[in-house]
């Protein structure tokens, strides 16, 4: 398996031959295959251990390419693509026949996006077609935000890794369904509801949870357990700080990692003291910085093989909706 330096020409040849290539985007690293090649797409599912009921997002270079693979392209799609592409924003539209059904979990819809990363766009323009690319990690685990994460997760399951450096957004794209009477957000991301509504008016929110063994999901990121570390992970709100402090005092000999919000009352409650058994990571109050660091910090925490990882939930504000969604799916309540 090749790793670096980036070799777009080789990546294109591999994709055209039915290979799978991991590449950087601004959100997370994607595991790509030709979205018109059913056998290649099935290799993605096999490499990730991903259930076939979980559809894949298809990456394109721009709106012109996206239109080739959409049976219908509503006016709202053009409005939103022009506002947010390239960027962390996925449009669900009716699927054209060129996209194989393995990509869409058998549904007649497809999620399309143009990523805002120079290496990803160079690859997409050179390939001149659609690349199906979920996150380049094992299914339900922490999404990768560096090439090293991909190598650790998938090893020789990938034919080539295009190293484009650390991902600057750090969490997956916003997904909006344009096939409904009212456009509806299925997965929150860096592009917020308020930003979308500034361009097309009111939109719905339907952040459903898909039960394992159920039907096909309309969007990635709807599984109950997703983006999760191997260690048991729990979440708590700022109102639970006192109760959590009591728990810590009862587990002073356990290997525990805490992701606490910068300036958290918890740090005062426990004296802000880390030890060989207690690892405390202060997460940025700024939502963009928090999102950029979240998955990397979860990986660092997991490497310690802790008895538990505890994550303090950031405030429930519109610009943190996506972060809170990822934490909920990566953790459980105590």
């Amino acid at each position: 398996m090749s790793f670096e330096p980036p070799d777009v020409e080789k990546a294109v040849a591999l994709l055209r031959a039915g290979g799978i290539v991991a590449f950087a985007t601004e959100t997370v690293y994607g595991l790509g295959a030709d979205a018109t090649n059913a056998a290649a797409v099935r290799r993605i599912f096999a490499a990730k251990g991903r259930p076939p009921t979980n559809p894949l997002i298809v990456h394109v270079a721009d709106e012109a390419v996206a239109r080739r693979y959409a049976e219908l392209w509503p006016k709202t799609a053009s409005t939103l693509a022009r506002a947010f592409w390239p960027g962390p924003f996925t449009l669900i539209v009716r699927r054209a026949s060129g996209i194989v059904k393995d990509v869409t979990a058998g549904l007649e819809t497809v999620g399309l996006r143009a990523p805002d990363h120079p290496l990803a766009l160079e690859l997409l323009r050179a390939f001149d077609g659609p690349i199906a690319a979920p996150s380049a990690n094992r299914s339900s685990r922490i999404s990768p935000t560096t090439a090293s994460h991909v190598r650790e997760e998938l090893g020789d399951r990938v034919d080539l890794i295009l190293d484009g450096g650390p991902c600057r957004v750090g969490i997956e794209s916003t997904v909006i369904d344009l096939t409904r009477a009212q456009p509806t957000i299925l997965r929150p991301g860096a592009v917020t509801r308020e930003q979308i509504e500034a361009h097309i008016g009111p939109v719905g929110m339907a952040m459903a949870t898909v039960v394992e063994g159920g039907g096909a999901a309309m969007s990635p990121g709807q599984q109950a357990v997703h983006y999760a570390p191997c260690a048991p992970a729990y979440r708590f709100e700022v109102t639970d700080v006192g109760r959590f402090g009591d728990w810590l005092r009862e587990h002073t000999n356990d290997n525990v990692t805490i992701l606490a919000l910068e300036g958290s009352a918890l740090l005062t409650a426990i004296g802000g003291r880390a030890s060989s058994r207690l690892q405390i990571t202060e997460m940025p109050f700024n939502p963009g910085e928090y999102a950029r660091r979240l998955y990397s910090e979860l990986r660092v925490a997991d490497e310690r093989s802790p008895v538990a990882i505890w994550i303090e939930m950031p405030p429930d504000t519109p610009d943190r909706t996506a972060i809170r969604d990822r934490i909920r799916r990566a953790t459980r309540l105590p």
Side-chain angles (χ1 to χ4, degrees):
M1 180 189 69
S2 300
F3 182 44
E4 58 184 355
D7 188 341
V8 171
E9 184 177 343
K10 182 176 180 179
V12 169
L14 284 166
L15 289 168
R16 288 177 177 158
I20 54 176
V21 173
F23 60 96
T25 78
E26 81 281 27
T27 57
V28 300
Y29 272 69
L31 182 59
D34 181 354
T36 68
N37 182 331
V41 170
R42 285 194 289 270
R43 285 193 62 195
I44 291 178
F45 285 91
K48 286 175 60 71
R50 185 183 180 101
T53 53
N54 193 1
L56 310 180
I57 288 172
V58 173
H59 294 65
V60 293
D62 52 36
E63 182 181 349
V65 179
R67 284 173 172 269
R68 294 187 221 159
Y69 299 99
E71 183 181 81
L72 296 173
W73 189 258
K75 183 179 179 181
T76 50
S78 285
T79 300
L80 293 172
R82 288 164 190 168
F84 300 116
W85 280 7
F89 192 65
T90 297
L91 305 173
I92 293 184
V93 295
R94 297 286 296 179
R95 175 186 68 88
S97 59
I99 301 293
V100 296
K101 286 193 173 184
D102 300 79
V103 168
T104 65
L107 300 175
E108 294 304 319
T109 54
V110 63
L112 299 166
R113 94 169 183 103
D116 187 15
H117 190 289
L119 182 59
L121 288 173
E122 182 183 353
L123 173 66
L124 286 159
R125 289 168 183 147
F127 184 66
D128 191 30
I131 299 178
S135 56
N137 58 293
R138 298 303 298 271
S139 184
S140 83
R141 295 305 180 191
I142 305 168
S143 298
T145 55
T146 69
S148 295
H149 295 163
V150 180
R151 182 170 54 184
E152 292 162 8
E153 283 272 328
L154 298 178
D156 60 6
R157 295 182 182 92
V158 186
D159 297 318
L160 180 71
I161 299 174
L162 293 180
D163 185 355
C167 301
R168 62 177 176 78
V169 173
I171 59 173
E172 299 78 4
S173 64
T174 304
V175 177
I176 187 166
D177 183 359
L178 299 182
T179 68
R180 307 186 185 202
Q182 181 185 48
T184 300
I185 295 171
L186 302 185
R187 181 178 73 185
V191 177
T192 67
R193 182 180 191 172
E194 290 71 22
Q195 288 173 315
I196 297 166
E197 289 181 335
H199 291 275
I200 62 171
V203 300
M205 291 281 281
M207 290 150 50
T209 295
V210 175
V211 178
E212 188 173 350
M218 276 294 292
S219 165
Q222 295 186 308
Q223 288 64 40
V225 178
H226 211 26
Y227 322 112
C230 295
Y234 304 92
R235 62 185 181 272
F236 65 98
E237 300 281 355
V238 65
T239 52
D240 298 324
V241 162
R243 185 160 57 90
F244 178 47
D246 293 339
W247 184 92
L248 279 177
R249 282 185 282 274
E250 294 170 3
H251 294 78
T252 54
N253 294 321
D254 289 338
N255 182 8
V256 176
T257 295
I258 306 168
L259 271 58
L261 198 63
E262 187 177 25
S264 169
L266 174 66
L267 300 174
T268 302
I270 64 176
R273 291 189 299 271
S275 69
S276 59
R277 308 300 293 173
L278 176 61
Q279 179 69 44
I280 304 169
T281 298
E282 283 195 66
M283 296 297 290
F285 191 78
N286 177 276
E289 289 295 327
Y290 192 112
R292 186 168 17 257
R293 284 182 53 186
L294 176 60
Y295 291 152
S296 289
E297 294 296 351
L298 281 176
R299 284 181 179 273
V300 170
D302 223 14
E303 288 170 2
R304 297 182 68 237
S305 300
V307 168
I309 299 171
W310 289 82
I311 305 176
E312 181 179 5
M313 293 290 275
D316 189 3
T317 57
D319 52 358
R320 295 179 175 88
T321 299
I323 297 169
R324 288 174 61 89
D325 172 76
R326 301 309 190 274
I327 295 173
R328 276 194 298 269
R329 296 180 192 275
T331 62
R332 58 189 120 167
L333 291 170

